[in-house]
Amino acid sequence: MSLKISNAIEILKKHDLLVSSSVSDENLEVTNISYNSKEDQSNGIFFCKGNNFKADYLDQAIKNGAKIYVSEKEYNKDVDRLVVKSASKALALLSAKYYGNPEDDLFIVAFTGTKGKTTTSYFTYDILKNAYPKQVGLFSTVDRIVGPNPKDEFKSDLTTPESLELFRDMRRCVDNGLKYLVMEVSSQAYKKNRVYGLKFDIGGFLNITPDHIGPNEHPTYEDYLNCKKQLMINSKVNIINRQTDDYDKVYAAAKETSDDKDIYRFAKNEVADTDFSIRNKESNLNDSVFTYTAESDKAEDLQDKGEYTYDLGLVGDFNELNAGAAITAAKIMGVKNEVIVESLKVAFVPGRMEHINTNSHGTIFIDYAHNYASMNALLSFLKREYPKSKIKVVVGSPGDKGVSRRAGFSRILNELADSAILTTDDPGFEDPADICKQIDEKIDHEKVQVKTILDREKAIREMITSSKGDDIIVLAAKGNDAYQKTKGVDVPYASDPVVARKILKDIED
């Protein structure tokens, strides 16, 4: 991989990002690209990015071999440099070029939403990998899959990776023979320009509710919505949940760059002005059966008949909308319906609605639900299925981000839980006790019994051992995560399903 500096200058000028250039040799071809000063920079281009960037980082990069740097101001006048209006936008554009624009060789399907991104991406991935074996990649909150072999699958650290890693992994996909990519696109991906300049073949907007509002994320809901809308503006074909909040604004964003024929709306039950309707036929703790009906001429064009029935292997009627988005994407891509049907029957999403039956300590559900909207969908479903059971929740909230989630957790526990244990969940640089206190302060203790046990494994043990019979235990927000993000370190953690099964083995064997 390489990048000629003259090409870099041309790209930056084209996007009106270049402020000035001080380059001794425009024909220099760098063979390294980085924004981490600790890495080898031999014959490299180094990006000075981030609110906490320090000149010392550039000095270290130069010592490690950097030939040129890109920044929003001059740091070192003795080294070749490109001064730009936005270092993060420059990083995205030049990373794409450095890795040979792999996005041009992939059909990319992307989803955004406050809830459901991961589930919908997995549904779509499962359908496409059956339709196109060994040709589909996945960039999700949980997994990154860049090829057809086990060595090509690894755990993610961000919902949408930094642009350099994003294009690097797209290059891996292409080099491994993949032709299709399914990915989640977070609001932060647009806020921080991780997907700047990237055009998607299909973009899906699932929903939006207030989340990720805080000092380290989005200052306002309006900013959050604006970032979410960017996926519609930057997609050739759009899929929109007709029942999302702020639908009119989302639809208007799609209309900025797409014709009506390239915008598909879907909804549950009877909703006017939609292309596809979902109607639940049966939902229980084994599966969810629903119909998916074409309601417009362009929707009919994607279906041989007006209505199909699907049996979804992942329990919870709230997953039907996620499946609807995946079905629509697959139909747009021409996937045969029998492939969609068989794929959804066996669909599995790590950390989503796993349940464990116990001998005498109730039923345990493990789900990644991590905000008010997703917790409401989950607990409402369980309340309907188990109307006489006590709902008991183990939950925490991450540090350094998603501050608004804390009040959301308080609210949903007041509305639907009988008891809760507050615990640690990726505290970052915050004190987990302070996070739990913020949640606890807004809980009505006359409605909900509350304890705080900061050790997550001990919290789960306490909840399981104190439960019985018909109790429903929900281990929320962490799913299959195998670490706790603490003070900048990924501290190993066995994951909620592993912890729960270990505890049951100890107390029931």
Side-chain angles (χ1 to χ4, degrees):
M1 302 299 162
S2 64
L3 174 65
K4 197 171 183 179
I5 297 305
S6 59
N7 290 339
I9 291 172
E10 182 181 347
I11 290 168
L12 294 173
K13 284 181 177 178
K14 179 182 177 182
H15 289 266
D16 192 29
L17 288 174
L18 188 66
V19 175
S20 65
S21 61
S22 299
V23 178
S24 55
D25 180 12
E26 287 194 6
N27 290 317
L28 172 68
E29 199 156 334
V30 294
T31 53
N32 210 333
I33 185 168
S34 177
Y35 58 86
N36 183 346
S37 61
K38 296 179 182 178
E39 296 176 344
D40 176 28
Q41 311 286 334
S42 299
N43 191 41
I45 182 169
F46 179 74
F47 289 79
C48 307
K49 64 174 285 291
N51 294 332
N52 298 317
F53 185 82
K54 299 176 182 177
D56 292 347
Y57 299 157
L58 175 59
D59 294 339
Q60 184 177 12
I62 294 168
K63 289 178 183 177
N64 288 340
K67 295 293 186 184
I68 184 170
Y69 69 89
V70 179
S71 65
E72 293 172 11
K73 67 177 184 179
E74 283 191 332
Y75 286 101
N76 187 325
K77 295 186 178 181
D78 297 326
V79 179
D80 283 5
R81 58 206 174 273
L82 300 174
V83 179
V84 296
K85 294 177 182 177
S86 168
S88 57
K89 289 180 179 179
L91 178 64
L93 294 170
L94 300 187
S95 293
K97 183 66 175 178
Y98 175 84
Y99 285 107
N101 295 108
E103 70 278 12
D104 293 341
D105 296 317
L106 293 165
F107 188 101
I108 307 176
V109 184
F111 295 101
T112 197
T114 302
K115 62 175 181 173
K117 292 189 300 295
T118 301
T119 300
T120 306
S121 294
Y122 266 90
F123 286 166
T124 307
Y125 171 74
D126 284 342
I127 293 168
L128 294 183
K129 75 176 181 180
N130 288 329
Y132 311 110
K134 298 185 177 182
Q135 295 183 61
V136 189
L138 174 69
F139 295 175
S140 83
T141 302
V142 181
D143 291 317
R144 196 87 49 79
I145 299 172
V146 299
N149 301 311
K151 66 181 178 63
D152 301 318
E153 182 173 340
F154 47 95
K155 293 297 177 186
S156 297
D157 54 359
L158 287 171
T159 297
T160 309
E162 182 57 81
S163 57
L164 191 154
E165 284 78 23
L166 180 71
F167 289 106
R168 178 201 66 196
D169 287 346
M170 284 185 182
R171 170 48 54 192
R172 290 177 177 177
C173 288
V174 173
D175 290 347
N176 285 328
L178 305 191
K179 296 180 180 179
Y180 306 91
L181 174 64
V182 182
M183 63 181 288
E184 299 179 44
V185 177
S186 65
S187 58
Q188 286 293 298
Y190 278 107
K191 183 73 174 173
K192 298 188 175 180
N193 298 311
R194 294 174 191 156
V195 291
Y196 181 76
L198 189 57
K199 300 297 181 184
F200 300 94
D201 293 282
I202 299 175
F205 194 102
L206 304 175
N207 49 68
I208 186 165
T209 57
D211 192 34
H212 297 285
I213 313 300
N216 296 318
E217 294 186 280
H218 298 279
T220 63
Y221 172 77
E222 288 70 26
D223 183 74
Y224 178 49
L225 173 60
N226 182 60
C227 288
K228 288 281 189 198
K229 290 190 307 184
Q230 298 308 308
L231 180 62
M232 300 290 92
I233 295 168
N234 290 285
S235 295
K236 298 173 186 175
V237 178
N238 293 277
I239 300 169
I240 304 173
N241 174 5
R242 182 66 180 82
Q243 293 159 305
T244 182
D245 288 352
D246 285 302
Y247 164 78
D248 290 342
K249 293 179 181 178
V250 176
Y251 183 73
K255 285 280 290 178
E256 287 185 33
T257 53
S258 298
D259 295 330
D260 279 329
K261 66 181 178 60
D262 292 323
I263 303 173
Y264 293 87
R265 287 79 53 86
F266 65 99
K268 287 197 72 170
N269 303 320
E270 309 298 327
V271 177
D273 191 27
T274 193
D275 299 297
F276 289 99
S277 293
I278 300 165
R279 294 176 180 85
N280 176 264
K281 293 180 71 174
E282 179 185 346
S283 185
N284 54 49
L285 293 179
N286 295 310
D287 56 16
S288 179
V289 181
F290 62 94
T291 59
Y292 201 59
T293 308
E295 304 286 2
S296 68
D297 290 342
K298 65 183 176 186
E300 285 277 9
D301 289 342
L302 295 182
Q303 301 219 104
D304 297 328
K305 293 182 290 186
E307 179 178 286
Y308 285 104
T309 299
Y310 298 95
D311 187 339
L312 185 60
L314 194 66
V315 301
D317 54 3
F318 53 89
N319 280 312
E320 291 168 2
L321 277 169
N322 299 327
I327 293 167
T328 307
K331 287 184 178 294
I332 291 168
M333 296 173 69
V335 177
K336 293 181 179 179
N337 195 67
E338 52 264 35
V339 174
I340 300 175
V341 169
E342 293 305 313
S343 300
L344 291 179
K345 277 183 183 177
V346 296
F348 173 74
V349 184
R352 295 302 195 273
M353 279 302 279
E354 293 184 49
H355 76 277
I356 303 171
N357 294 317
T358 75
N359 293 334
S360 56
H361 294 85
T363 305
I364 302 170
F365 287 88
I366 300 150
D367 193 89
Y368 190 64
H370 61 286
N371 53 39
Y372 175 83
S374 53
M375 282 279 279
N376 183 45
L378 171 62
L379 297 188
S380 295
F381 171 73
L382 293 174
K383 202 78 170 177
R384 289 194 302 271
E385 291 297 314
Y386 297 95
K388 296 181 180 178
S389 296
K390 289 189 177 299
I391 304 292
K392 310 173 78 170
V393 182
V394 176
V395 68
S397 193
D400 309 324
K401 65 177 186 177
V403 175
S404 60
R405 292 180 191 171
R406 300 169 194 179
F409 283 141
S410 306
R411 178 183 167 195
I412 195 61
L413 292 173
N414 285 335
E415 291 172 356
L416 293 172
D418 295 286
S419 66
I421 295 180
L422 307 179
T423 190
T424 299
D425 182 354
D426 293 340
F429 289 91
E430 289 192 63
D431 184 341
D434 289 341
I435 297 172
C436 290
K437 183 180 178 183
Q438 289 174 38
I439 299 172
D440 190 38
E441 284 174 345
K442 295 186 178 180
I443 295 176
D444 184 343
H445 289 218
E446 292 186 3
K447 290 183 178 178
V448 188
Q449 295 180 357
V450 184
K451 286 185 180 180
T452 295
I453 301 176
L454 296 181
D455 184 305
R456 191 175 182 95
E457 186 167 344
K458 289 181 179 177
I460 293 172
R461 180 177 290 273
E462 168 69 16
M463 187 62 89
I464 292 175
T465 55
S466 64
S467 298
K468 59 186 179 180
D470 295 332
D471 289 348
I472 301 299
I473 300 170
V474 177
L475 310 182
K478 198 144 189 71
N480 272 3
D481 282 358
Y483 51 81
Q484 290 272 17
K485 291 182 177 293
T486 306
K487 292 183 169 36
V489 177
D490 288 347
V491 180
Y493 169 71
S495 83
D496 285 358
V498 171
V499 167
R501 288 187 173 94
K502 179 180 180 296
I503 291 167
L504 287 171
K505 189 174 187 300
D506 292 343
I507 64 177
E508 292 193 341
D509 282 1

